[in-house]
């Protein structure tokens, strides 16, 4: 609300008078003004020592990733710092992941396990802090071209339509275009795109830029072809339904797992098992339902069944160290310390910089 009010005041009392004055300035005056602005920007860049700033950006942080020492001010560390907070190292790691499987990547969500095993800094990392690089590593060149192609289409089409428009239409299109460019830029350097409301706004802006109503030329409509139109729209609807269904599978699975966890916490083992099996039936290829079944069996002290379920979870995601940690705990709880140590050795191979198992794992290169 404050930003909206400020924008109105600037537009009403600053932008309009300034626009009327600049209309009286000739081409030479505008060229001189543009040259002055360029000189100021270039001078500021030179004065900031870009090479030194870049070296500072690449330097690793002095604290573990995703943590903040209590003595450090988060504003100074994150907002007023030229450092990357470990992004440079994370970007380098995701490029390595891409090189290991360049065509189709190692799978959605695989970067977390890749960093745990091959990362270069201490600390837990789930995302690569870049939509484009994370897509490149997880989904390969195919996924990368799809997302970049969609974004570039919106940027190019939006710019062309804004330049072709006149008056208020140009102002509106330019504002929508600038908003989407800001979203596309932020997606490349941070994980803001994973916040649902931010990406909803970004996708709405993309749709507005590429929709037929944003076109300034208003070309005459094509001849209506009922069969072709109905077939095309039906195909689009089916694709949309398939995308919705694919998302619904994960949502339903998570709902059943959460219901199982709630039942387990109140001691209702039968319901906990039933809801976890529902999750398994919805998404049998996922490891999470089997992990929940193993945890319920552990709660019931049925360690034989817990071992059975956790083995199935590991078979579905061999790169994740956390099922191995559960398995090690099961072995320790039933007194088989030797087997537990074997599981811990595997954890160290998958996550050699783990803080939880630091006293058991030999440091990389050490």
């Amino acid at each position: 609300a404050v930003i909206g009010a400020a924008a109105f005041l600037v537009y009403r009392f600053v932008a309009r008078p300034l626009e009327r004055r600049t209309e009286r300035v000739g081409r030479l005056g505008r060229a001189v003004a543009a040259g002055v602005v360029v000189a100021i920007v270039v001078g500021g860049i030179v004065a900031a020592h870009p090479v030194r700033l870049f070296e500072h950006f690449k330097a690793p942080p002095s604290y573990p990733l995703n943590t903040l020492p209590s003595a450090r001010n988060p504003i100074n560390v994150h907002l007023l710092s030229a450092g990357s907070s470990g992004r440079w190292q994370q970007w380098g790691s995701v490029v390595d992941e891409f090189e290991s499987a360049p065509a189709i990547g190692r799978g959605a969500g695989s970067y977390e396990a890749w960093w745990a095993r091959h990362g270069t800094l201490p600390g837990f990392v789930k995302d690569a802090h870049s939509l484009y690089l994370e897509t490149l590593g997880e989904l390969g060149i195919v996924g990368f071209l799809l997302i970049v192609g969609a974004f570039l289409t919106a940027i190019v089409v939006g710019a062309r339509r804004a330049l072709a428009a006149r008056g208020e239409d140009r102002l509106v299109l330019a504002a929508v275009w600038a908003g989407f460019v800001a979203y596309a830029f932020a997606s490349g350097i941070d994980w803001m795109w994973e916040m649902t409301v931010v990406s909803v706004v970004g996708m709405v802006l993309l749709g507005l830029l590429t929709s037929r109503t944003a076109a300034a030329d208003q070309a005459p409509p094509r001849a209506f072809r009922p069969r072709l139109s109905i077939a095309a729209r039906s195909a689009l609807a089916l694709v949309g339904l398939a995308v919705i269904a694919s998302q619904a599978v994960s949502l339903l699975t998570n709902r059943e797992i959460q219901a199982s966890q709630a039942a387990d916490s109140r001691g209702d083992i039968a319901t906990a098992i039933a809801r976890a099996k529902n999750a398994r039936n919805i998404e049998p290829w996922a490891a999470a339902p089997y992990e929940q079944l193993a945890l319920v069996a552990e709660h019931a002290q049925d360690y034989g069944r817990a071992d059975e379920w956790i083995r199935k979870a590991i078979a579905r995601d061999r790169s994740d160290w956390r099922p191995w940690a559960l398995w090690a705990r099961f072995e320790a709880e039933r007194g088989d310390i030797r087997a537990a140590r074997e599981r811990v050795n595997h954890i160290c191979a998958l996550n050699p910089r783990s803080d939880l198992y630091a006293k058991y794992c030999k440091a990389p290169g050490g």
Side-chain angles (χ1 to χ4, degrees):
V2 172
I3 291 173
F8 169 78
L9 294 175
V10 170
Y11 179 70
R12 177 66 179 81
F13 298 104
V14 178
R16 283 188 172 180
L18 185 62
E19 185 177 1
R20 287 194 294 268
R21 292 180 182 179
T22 54
E23 287 177 350
R24 298 193 293 267
V25 178
R27 291 185 177 181
L28 179 60
R30 296 182 182 184
V32 171
V36 171
V37 171
V38 171
I40 292 174
V41 172
V42 172
I45 293 174
V46 173
H49 301 286
V51 175
R52 185 173 61 191
L53 286 176
F54 184 58
E55 292 300 324
H56 181 65
F57 179 83
K58 295 192 299 181
S62 58
Y63 50 87
L65 299 181
N66 293 320
T67 63
L68 185 66
S70 58
R72 304 290 293 275
N73 188 327
I75 295 178
N76 293 331
V77 171
H78 292 293
L79 300 182
L80 303 180
S81 171
S84 67
S85 301
R87 282 172 173 78
W88 183 260
Q89 288 73 21
Q90 294 173 55
W91 295 344
S93 181
V94 78
V95 170
D96 292 339
E97 182 184 15
F98 162 70
E99 292 176 348
S100 69
I104 58 175
R106 304 184 69 88
S110 60
Y111 177 71
E112 178 183 341
W114 177 271
W115 174 267
R117 189 168 190 175
H118 303 284
T120 57
L121 297 176
F124 172 79
V125 171
K126 183 177 181 180
D127 306 300
H129 283 78
S130 173
L131 170 62
Y132 314 114
L133 290 178
E134 188 168 342
T135 302
L136 188 67
E138 294 185 349
L139 303 180
I141 193 66
V142 175
F144 176 79
L145 291 178
L146 287 174
I147 189 69
V148 171
F151 280 25
L152 284 179
T153 297
I155 291 173
V156 173
V157 170
R160 292 183 61 184
R161 289 179 170 177
L163 293 174
R166 294 291 182 269
E168 295 294 325
D169 289 343
R170 171 179 282 191
L171 181 63
V172 172
L173 283 171
V176 174
W177 181 85
F180 181 76
V181 169
Y183 170 76
F185 174 77
S187 297
I189 62 172
D190 210 341
W191 49 265
M192 286 290 290
W193 58 274
E194 292 196 9
M195 299 182 67
T196 304
V197 66
V198 175
S199 284
V200 165
V201 173
M203 293 302 103
V204 169
L205 295 177
L206 184 150
L208 291 173
L209 290 173
T210 56
S211 66
R212 183 182 302 177
T213 55
D217 52 4
Q218 295 297 329
R222 299 178 181 177
F224 182 66
R225 298 181 180 179
R227 292 183 179 178
L228 181 60
S229 178
I230 292 175
R233 295 182 183 186
S234 299
L236 182 61
L238 289 175
V239 171
L241 289 174
V243 172
I244 293 173
S246 67
Q247 297 299 313
V249 167
S250 295
L251 291 174
L252 291 173
T253 301
N254 290 336
R255 189 191 68 174
E256 292 298 316
I257 290 176
Q258 290 171 0
S260 175
Q261 292 170 344
D264 188 32
S265 65
R266 63 175 182 264
D268 188 352
I269 301 299
T271 301
I273 293 175
R275 300 304 290 267
K277 287 185 176 180
N278 288 343
R280 180 197 60 180
N281 295 334
I282 296 171
E283 207 171 10
W285 57 85
Y290 293 94
E291 290 181 20
Q292 177 59 20
L293 285 167
L295 289 170
V296 175
E298 178 196 23
H299 191 193
Q301 297 185 343
D302 185 355
Y303 294 110
R305 185 59 64 112
D307 281 359
E308 178 184 344
W309 291 126
I310 204 64
R311 287 173 185 268
K312 292 182 177 181
I314 290 173
R316 284 157 176 79
D317 190 358
R318 296 187 179 278
S319 62
D320 191 355
W321 62 273
R322 286 169 294 190
W324 288 92
L326 292 178
W327 200 3
R329 191 173 77 193
F330 300 160
E331 301 286 14
E333 287 174 353
R334 67 181 183 183
D336 193 344
I337 303 303
R338 181 177 180 180
R341 287 176 176 172
E342 292 178 359
R343 314 303 175 225
V344 170
N345 290 337
H346 205 87
I347 295 171
C348 294
L350 294 175
N351 190 6
R353 287 171 306 283
S354 171
D355 293 334
L356 294 174
Y357 298 92
K359 62 182 180 181
Y360 302 108
C361 301
K362 185 179 180 181

